[in-house]
Amino acid sequence: MADSSFDIVSKVERQEVDNALNQTAKEISQRYDFKGVGASISWSGEKILLEANSEDRVKAVLDVFQSKLIKRGISLKSLDAGEPQLSGKEYKIFASIQEGISQENAKKVAKLIRDEGPKGVKAQVQGEELRVSSKSRDDLQAVISLLKGQDFDFDLQFVNYR
């Protein structure tokens, strides 16, 4: 019998991020506490730009955006938001969406699977994802539950289970 396998990836649905951004823009245009503070949120290339005329307001825009991401099922571990920066009279925050597992993070996960996972489970790094294979599907389920129980500083999804 052939080995069963699955892939560990870190991907974000771009359309869901776009929907969260549009919902945030609509909410800050309608909310009373954002009137007259120049609050806005938009794409700036691959980054997300949040602007307002005070540091507290720009943090409030970020908070609204984070709540919209959570409602859309996107982990906040995927969002990398910088600190508010003063630019002229505006405060700005640049945020980016992290995708892909870096080599060092993939090695951490592979080492954890080797050390704490069931025997006979193989993990190999393939670019920005990790392929885990084993003869036993039960072992693969055990690896998934092991990884779900860990607190990594990046988001993980399990795909292509076969």
Side-chain angles (χ1 to χ4, degrees), residues 126-138:
Q126 296 180 332
E128 292 189 338
E129 57 186 47
L130 197 66
R131 164 97 14 114
V132 179
S133 58
S134 172
K135 292 199 182 310
S136 165
R137 287 178 172 237
D138 291 340

Side-chain angles (χ1 to χ4, degrees), residues 108-126:
K108 271 191 222 172
V109 173
K111 181 173 176 8
L112 179 75
I113 292 170
R114 267 196 318 277
D115 294 347
E116 296 183 29
K119 298 287 179 241
V121 176
K122 296 187 286 288
Q124 58 198 97
V125 179
Q126 296 180 332

Side-chain angles (χ1 to χ4, degrees), residues 1-5 120 122 133-140 161-162:
M1 186 175 128
D3 283 3
S4 300
S5 68
K122 296 187 286 288
S133 58
S134 172
K135 292 199 182 310
S136 165
R137 287 178 172 237
D138 291 340
D139 287 350
L140 294 180
Y161 187 82
R162 49 183 107 129

Side-chain angles (χ1 to χ4, degrees), residues 77 147-154:
K77 292 178 182 178
L147 294 176
K148 283 185 177 178
Q150 298 296 315
D151 186 31
F152 294 109
D153 56 349
F154 52 95

